[in-house]
Amino acid sequence: MNKATKVVCIIGVMVLVLGFYFYLLGSRGVSLIQTGGPVSIGLGIGVILLPIIGIWIVWATLKAGFDHQHLARRIHDEDLELDVSEMPKMPSGRISREAADTMFEQVKGEWEKDPDNWRSSYRLARAYDYAGDRGRARETMKRAVALERDESAS
């Protein structure tokens, strides 16, 4: 079993466990509502909201993961991946800060020339991630997904 298959299996098991947990939580909320007291009804509604929010979070996370994976496949197919294989690494396995910052500046320059291209936004998001700026990486990846979606719709 390869690494990707293991990850997919782990995600599948986690989603199933969360689904079971949401079911139990929802049924407890319904039970509280059925008791009929005003406090129980209020608590029951609050408890029912928890699995609804949880389902939304799981859905949004999985959707973002699928969107990012779709872009990663396209970038790979177009041979536009950032090559980090020869970059110096720290003992943790992460790319050294100096090398990541140098790569980031190069990729940022490419992005500045074509900011409305999803490919340059994707590469910039990956460079942000390698440089350790996860917040900007997420925001830039969202932009890349939106730009790719617009391109595909055209």
Side-chain angles (χ1 to χ4, degrees):
M1 183 181 297
N2 66 19
K3 185 178 178 181
T5 304
K6 287 179 186 178
V7 170
V8 169
C9 288
I10 290 170
I11 290 170
V13 168
M14 289 175 68
V15 168
L16 287 173
V17 169
L18 281 171
F20 179 68
Y21 173 71
F22 294 154
Y23 167 76
L24 289 178
L25 203 54
S27 64
R28 296 288 182 216
V30 169
S31 296
L32 282 167
I33 290 172
Q34 289 175 341
T35 61
V39 173
S40 295
I41 291 173
L43 283 172
I45 291 170
V47 169
I48 287 175
L49 288 176
L50 292 173
I52 291 170
I53 293 169
I55 289 168
W56 176 78
I57 290 170
V58 168
W59 175 82
T61 302
L62 288 174
K63 183 178 180 330
F66 290 134
D67 289 343
H68 299 173
Q69 190 61 37
H70 169 72
L71 294 188
R73 267 193 301 277
R74 287 200 58 191
I75 286 289
H76 176 76
D77 292 346
E78 296 178 18
D79 200 28
L80 292 173
E81 291 176 303
L82 296 176
D83 184 15
V84 296
S85 61
E86 300 297 319
M87 297 184 107
K89 306 247 186 330
M90 297 185 292
S92 66
R94 292 194 53 83
I95 298 169
S96 76
R97 184 72 170 168
E98 298 81 26
D101 288 345
T102 301
M103 178 184 59
F104 172 78
E105 289 303 323
Q106 175 193 348
V107 173
K108 184 179 179 192
E110 294 170 8
W111 177 82
E112 287 171 345
K113 292 176 187 172
D114 194 9
D116 293 328
N117 185 329
W118 71 264
R119 292 161 187 86
S120 59
S121 291
Y122 176 88
R123 288 169 54 88
L124 182 63
R126 297 295 295 146
Y128 270 127
D129 185 51
Y130 289 129
D133 192 343
R134 297 273 158 63
R136 286 192 177 134
R138 279 189 294 275
E139 290 306 312
T140 306
M141 189 62 78
K142 285 179 190 176
R143 177 175 167 74
V145 168
L147 289 169
E148 193 271 344
R149 207 173 274 140
D150 290 345
E151 178 186 280
S152 296
S154 302

